[in-house]
Amino acid sequence: MLLLRSMSGAPSQNGALERRLLSEQPGAPDRLLFYINRPSVIVGRNQRIEAEVDTAYCRRQGIEVFRRISGGGAVYQDYGNINYAFVCGKTDAAFMDMDFATPIRDALRAFGITATVGTRGELLAGGRKISGTAAHVMRSRILFHGTLLYRTDLRRMSRALQGDSTLRGRCIASVPAPVVNLSDLTGSSESTTSFLEKLLLFFEDRYGVETALALCETSVVAATQL
C-alpha cells in the first residue's frame, strides 16, 4: 500500500488524480489517497444536477459543482471535510466482499470514535452519518472513496443540497440522513488539517510506509464541472 496526500484543493484536479490512479496497469501498487477540496458539491454519475443541488445558491456562494465517475448521491465538501480514496487491484473476491471500511474505522477508534457501517456503505457514529462512500470498478482496478465530516459547515451543506426533486425523473436520488462532525463528537478544537496529519501518521504506522505528496495534473480533468 502506498500512502498519498494531494495538496491541491481543486475538485477537478483531485478527481483527475483518482482517475489516473484507477487507470494504472494491472500489478500497480494499491494506493490510499487523502485530500481536502475547497467548497464544492460532487454529484454521482447517474444523478440529475438540478434535482439534487440548489445551483443558484451554489453560484452565489462560490460553491463549485462537479460530477464524479462513481455512483451514489451528492455530497457537499469544504475545508472541514476530508476525502479518502482506496485504489486497488481486483482480486478473486467479489468487490462487495472487499473490506475498505475497517481501516477507516480502526483509525477513528484510535481517536476515540466508534463507527459502524450502514446499509449503503456509509459510516455512522451514534446513528448519525460521518462518512458517505461510493465506488467505481474498472477492468483491473477498483476505486472506493469516501468523505469524513470533521468540521464541515453543515448549514451550507443542507442549503446547497436542496435541489428540485420534481426534476429527477428516473435518475438516482440522494438519500438524506442525519449527519454529525467528528470534531463535535470528540469536542476537539484542532483544525481539519491537523486531524488529517494524525490520520496520515496512523496509516503510516499501519502500512509501514511514509506519506508521499501526490501530483495533480491541471491538464487532466476527470471530474466534469457543471
Side-chain angles (χ1 to χ4, degrees):
M1 179 68 74
L2 299 180
L3 186 60
L4 304 175
R5 178 184 176 182
S6 169
M7 301 303 292
S8 173
S12 60
Q13 292 185 5
N14 288 317
L17 179 57
E18 287 185 346
R19 177 168 285 185
R20 191 178 72 186
L21 296 176
L22 186 61
S23 67
E24 289 181 323
Q25 295 300 312
D30 293 345
R31 320 273 187 162
L32 174 53
L33 168 69
F34 285 92
Y35 58 89
I36 296 174
N37 277 335
R38 61 193 178 218
S40 53
V41 174
I42 315 297
V43 299
R45 65 181 298 174
N46 300 312
Q47 294 193 294
R48 183 167 184 177
I49 307 304
E50 296 80 4
E52 311 302 328
V53 184
D54 187 332
T55 54
Y57 173 79
C58 288
R59 283 193 296 271
R60 291 195 303 270
Q61 297 294 316
I63 300 171
E64 301 167 272
V65 181
F66 288 83
R67 187 185 299 279
R68 62 179 184 269
I69 63 173
S70 62
V75 293
Y76 171 81
Q77 301 178 2
D78 60 17
Y79 294 115
N81 173 79
I82 296 170
N83 291 278
Y84 60 90
F86 291 91
V87 185
C88 304
K90 282 187 177 178
T91 68
D92 292 334
F95 163 67
M96 295 306 295
D97 293 333
M98 299 180 70
D99 186 4
F100 297 104
T102 293
I104 301 299
R105 285 187 297 174
D106 289 348
L108 295 177
R109 187 181 300 116
F111 305 128
I113 301 165
T114 300
T116 59
V117 181
T119 57
R120 296 178 177 84
E122 74 276 25
L123 291 180
L124 307 170
R128 291 181 290 177
K129 188 174 180 179
I130 57 174
S131 173
T133 64
H136 185 72
V137 181
M138 294 187 69
R139 180 174 300 177
S140 62
R141 291 176 73 74
I142 294 167
L143 166 67
F144 182 91
H145 53 184
T147 59
L148 280 174
L149 299 173
Y150 182 73
R151 199 180 292 280
T152 295
D153 188 329
L154 300 183
R155 182 191 61 81
R156 292 188 84 196
M157 169 190 286
S158 176
R159 188 68 178 80
L161 297 180
Q162 291 181 13
D164 184 351
S165 61
T166 64
L167 302 175
R168 182 171 293 122
R170 296 185 178 181
C171 295
I172 299 297
S174 300
V175 181
V179 296
V180 64
N181 278 314
L182 296 174
S183 60
D184 292 331
L185 293 175
T186 62
S188 173
S189 60
E190 71 178 328
S191 68
T192 306
T193 301
S194 175
F195 184 74
L196 174 54
E197 293 297 334
K198 288 168 60 175
L199 279 176
L200 292 170
L201 289 174
F202 174 90
F203 284 107
E204 286 182 358
D205 183 66
R206 182 185 183 98
Y207 295 120
V209 298
E210 292 185 357
T211 302
L213 298 184
L215 298 177
C216 293
E217 297 181 4
T218 56
S219 61
V220 180
V221 180
T224 303
Q225 187 171 14
L226 303 161

